[in-house]
Amino acid sequence: MRKKIVAGNWKMNLDYNEGVSLFSEIVNMVKDERKGDQLAIICSPFIHLNSLAKLGGNDVKIGAQNISDKESGAYTGETSAKMVKSVGAEYVILGHSERRQYFAESDELLAGKTKTALAHGLTPIFCIGETLDERNNGSYYEVLKKQLVEGIFSLTEEDFKKIVIAYEPVWAIGTGLTASPEQAQDIHAFIRSEIEANYGFNVADDTTILYGGSCNPGNAASLFSQKDIDGGLIGGASLKSRDFTDIIKALNS
């Protein structure tokens, strides 16, 4: 049975003290709302990881927002999977649209990052999504399939079963726009069908697929009620403890 997950992505927000304060609020609130088979994750900037891992316990897991594809070496400014794992993180976001857009991360690079993450015991939250132009011109199925094939479909079945996928319509990130529950379900079902074609029904049925496009307390329940949507990758709403907790509550509705 696939996991139900709400993962917060703080992006480049909050200084050290602000992050610790918000996370403490989230932990105290989530412990009363999260059911045993659900996961709450916060993916913070690197500066918070060690401290948050000590505070989260079993109630809120910790993830990074990026890693290098390199193991170590003369790569100034980069952070390795081994480093991230050593401070208590268990998850890492890979392929977020902002990394693809602003830092020109290719599917080939992301394939390498995914394998590096898995080799060090981190669970990738692998993001795919289409732009507004790709949505409007009808090429979005091909775009999403390419991101899957070139990014993660080279994994062995054993490794693929360890990852989480997040569908994030790029046109709905930070814009206030949201895919309708029906639009989101259509894409999630497509992703699951592509997984089934490559790895079989059982693997596809067990793969957690999150929705990540302006999900908030007002629309979370309708999104999460869809058959193939297993939770959310949350941006702005994860910076407010009440909003993030209410989204977790929506998993139960």
Side-chain angles (χ1 to χ4, degrees):
M1 185 175 181
R2 55 187 182 258
K3 295 177 181 176
K4 299 289 186 178
I5 297 174
V6 172
N9 176 15
W10 284 358
K11 305 190 179 185
M12 195 176 73
N13 292 293
L14 306 176
D15 67 21
Y16 177 78
N17 290 325
E18 291 168 341
V20 170
S21 177
L22 174 59
F23 187 76
S24 297
E25 291 178 12
I26 289 173
V27 170
N28 287 331
M29 296 170 74
V30 165
K31 67 175 58 176
D32 296 325
E33 304 295 347
R34 183 184 65 83
K35 290 187 175 181
D37 60 346
Q38 299 169 350
L39 284 178
I41 304 167
I42 290 292
C43 297
S44 76
F46 292 125
I47 64 164
H48 302 109
L49 292 177
N50 192 24
S51 295
L52 301 194
K54 295 175 181 177
L55 293 171
N58 292 321
D59 293 301
V60 184
K61 301 299 184 182
I62 305 303
Q65 298 173 17
N66 184 37
I67 55 167
S68 173
D69 63 320
K70 305 295 193 296
E71 288 289 337
S72 63
Y75 302 103
T76 301
E78 290 293 281
T79 302
S80 72
K82 182 179 179 181
M83 293 173 182
V84 168
K85 182 68 174 180
S86 73
V87 296
E90 298 180 51
Y91 294 82
V92 60
I93 298 172
L94 296 176
H96 191 280
S97 62
E98 291 159 3
R99 298 295 310 179
R100 293 176 185 266
Q101 178 182 357
Y102 303 142
F103 301 97
E105 292 195 349
S106 65
D107 293 318
E108 180 181 9
L109 175 68
L110 293 169
K113 289 189 176 190
T114 300
K115 291 174 182 176
T116 300
L118 289 166
H120 288 277
L122 293 171
T123 298
I125 301 174
F126 191 88
C127 302
I128 63 172
E130 81 278 11
T131 65
L132 184 59
D133 285 344
E134 291 162 345
R135 163 63 59 167
N136 288 338
N137 68 26
S139 66
Y140 51 95
Y141 289 128
E142 291 81 1
V143 169
L144 296 171
K145 182 172 182 176
K146 178 178 181 293
Q147 292 171 350
L148 289 168
V149 169
E150 297 186 4
I152 53 178
F153 278 178
S154 64
L155 294 172
T156 65
E157 179 177 322
E158 181 181 1
D159 278 344
F160 187 89
K161 289 163 68 174
K162 300 174 184 176
I163 73 170
V164 173
I165 294 174
Y167 166 61
E168 43 165 18
V170 180
W171 48 271
I173 298 174
T175 64
L177 299 173
T178 308
S180 70
E182 294 75 20
Q183 286 175 314
Q185 166 58 25
D186 174 66
I187 297 299
H188 281 238
F190 169 75
I191 294 168
R192 208 174 297 284
S193 70
E194 289 298 310
I195 298 170
E196 181 176 355
N198 282 269
Y199 294 100
F201 172 81
N202 289 336
V203 173
D205 194 51
D206 285 343
T207 299
T208 296
I209 308 176
L210 309 180
Y211 174 78
S214 296
C215 183
N216 59 60
N219 61 29
S222 60
L223 287 163
F224 297 168
S225 68
Q226 301 299 308
K227 175 183 176 183
D228 290 295
I229 299 178
D230 304 312
L233 178 60
I234 315 301
S238 69
L239 296 171
K240 299 177 181 178
S241 55
R242 181 72 268 165
D243 286 356
F244 187 69
T245 306
D246 284 346
I247 293 172
I248 292 172
K249 289 170 65 176
L251 286 174
N252 305 324
S253 60

